[in-house]
Amino acid sequence: MLLEFEQPIIELEGKLAEMKQLAESSRVDVTEDVKSLERKILRLKEETYKNLTRWQRVQLSRHPERPYTLDYFYNITDDFVELHGDRTVKDDKAMVGGFGTIGGQTVMLVGQQKGRNTKQRQMRNFGMANPEGYRKALRLFKMAEKFNKPIVTLIDTPGAYPGLEAEERGQGEAIARNIKEMFMLKVPVICIIIGEGASGGALGIAVGDKVLMLENTWYSVISPESCSSILWRSWDYKEQAAEALKLTATDMLGFGLIDGIIEEPLGGAHRDPDWMYETLKNRILKELKPLMKQSAEERINNRIEKFANMGEVVE
């Protein structure tokens, strides 16, 4: 999939491919020209991706070729075992989780899962969990606590499912209970936004000792399109809405709402998934090490204090 702002890069890469093909077919030495064009492409990539607008980062976060939650689970662990069901209603396919081993440490992994094609997207409900999804997540959190295993959550959702049946089954209560219970978990909790982090749907599994964001992701109470439709009665102003919302990883770090940013490959996580898997794995192990040394009481107090200090109160 080609994003509009990537068009100049694609054009130059096309010229580079033609030049290499010409060299092979005519046996003309164009080595210097190829190297020069490769340097030009690299400079253009660096300039483009280091100066993305907020809306362009939103577009990158939604790229259909980006690694999704299960991609990370199976590639950063040696033996991921998925667990199912909330033991009350059913198994929500939009919320996935299970045990896995990262660098010799067993962890509980939980996150939202999107689909690659139409059939998968319908099955995964576009990554929008129902109440049973959040109750399933809470069941897994409690299981991890019971066996004294750290928790890692990966957030990638356009929001909790807003359907009538979800509200009838207590969507708001399920998310609120997760937020409350996550504050009191006795084990280390690391939350990482790997794509979209929209509203309470994201926050329902995003209360942790460390909250991190990948470089090209967003975290906000509302999506740019929805914000635009409310303020201007049209989606045409989504770029302005994205700028006003200040929803990127850099914005969130500046506001003190997250604890760090995880670098992505040049052009986004989908450009080099293997590099991204290894980077995420190493960051998780790095963040877990000091957390494991703290007592449960110390982690809980620090967690509560961190979130309590967010925002400004004007009396």
Side-chain angles (χ1 to χ4, degrees), residues 3-258:
L3 299 175
E4 186 179 348
F5 62 86
E6 295 176 312
Q7 185 64 42
I9 298 171
I10 299 302
E11 289 176 358
L12 285 182
E13 287 178 337
K15 290 180 181 179
L16 178 63
E18 290 175 5
M19 190 178 294
K20 288 180 178 179
Q21 189 176 7
L22 177 64
E24 290 177 4
S25 60
S26 62
R27 296 185 180 181
V28 177
D29 186 11
V30 291
T31 305
E32 290 303 317
D33 294 324
V34 167
K35 288 182 178 179
S36 175
L37 188 53
E38 286 175 339
R39 288 193 295 268
K40 185 177 180 181
I41 291 172
L42 180 60
R43 286 195 301 269
L44 181 59
K45 282 184 176 180
E46 290 175 344
E47 183 181 344
T48 300
Y49 292 115
K50 296 299 180 184
N51 296 286
L52 293 174
T53 66
R54 291 180 173 92
W55 172 245
Q56 287 169 343
R57 290 202 185 275
V58 170
Q59 289 178 294
L60 267 184
S61 76
R62 296 169 174 170
H63 199 289
E65 295 173 13
R66 277 180 77 88
Y68 288 154
T69 296
L70 284 177
D71 297 322
Y72 285 106
F73 286 177
Y74 284 110
N75 283 281
I76 68 175
T77 67
D78 303 318
D79 52 359
F80 176 69
V81 177
E82 188 174 354
L83 301 173
H84 300 273
D86 71 334
R87 300 299 184 267
T88 304
V89 179
K90 65 177 182 179
D91 182 40
D92 189 341
K93 302 296 184 183
M95 188 74 73
V96 295
F99 282 116
T101 305
I102 303 178
Q105 172 65 57
T106 300
V107 299
M108 176 63 79
L109 298 152
V110 178
Q112 290 106 347
Q113 173 68 16
K114 294 179 177 178
R116 293 285 177 197
N117 53 44
T118 302
K119 187 175 180 179
Q120 288 181 2
R121 288 174 188 135
Q122 289 176 334
M123 181 184 76
R124 300 292 181 182
N125 201 28
F126 300 89
M128 298 186 292
N130 278 279
E132 50 270 24
Y134 291 99
R135 291 174 182 133
K136 171 185 177 179
L138 182 57
R139 182 178 75 84
L140 299 184
F141 295 156
K142 291 296 185 179
M143 183 184 292
E145 185 178 51
K146 179 180 179 180
F147 293 109
N148 196 31
K149 302 300 180 185
I151 297 166
V152 175
T153 70
L154 301 186
I155 295 102
D156 186 14
T157 179
Y161 184 59
L164 178 61
E165 59 273 31
E167 299 299 340
E168 289 175 340
R169 292 197 298 273
Q171 185 74 286
E173 186 275 340
I175 293 172
R177 182 172 295 276
N178 273 28
I179 293 171
K180 173 182 177 292
E181 295 291 343
M182 288 189 79
F183 276 116
M184 306 309 296
L185 289 170
K186 296 177 182 178
V187 294
V189 184
I190 296 175
C191 307
I192 305 171
I193 298 164
I194 61 168
E196 299 185 274
S199 194
L203 196 57
I205 59 168
V207 176
D209 303 296
K210 294 292 181 180
V211 180
L212 310 170
M213 291 178 69
L214 266 59
E215 184 181 356
N216 296 307
T217 62
W218 63 275
Y219 195 21
S220 175
V221 70
I222 194 171
S223 71
E225 294 94 331
S226 297
C227 178
S228 174
S229 66
I230 291 172
L231 295 181
W232 290 285
R233 300 288 188 270
S234 169
W235 279 23
D236 297 337
Y237 300 92
K238 51 188 178 291
E239 292 91 344
Q240 293 95 312
E243 291 298 318
L245 286 168
K246 294 181 171 59
L247 39 58
T248 66
T250 305
D251 294 323
M252 294 298 106
L253 187 63
F255 293 143
L257 300 178
I258 63 170

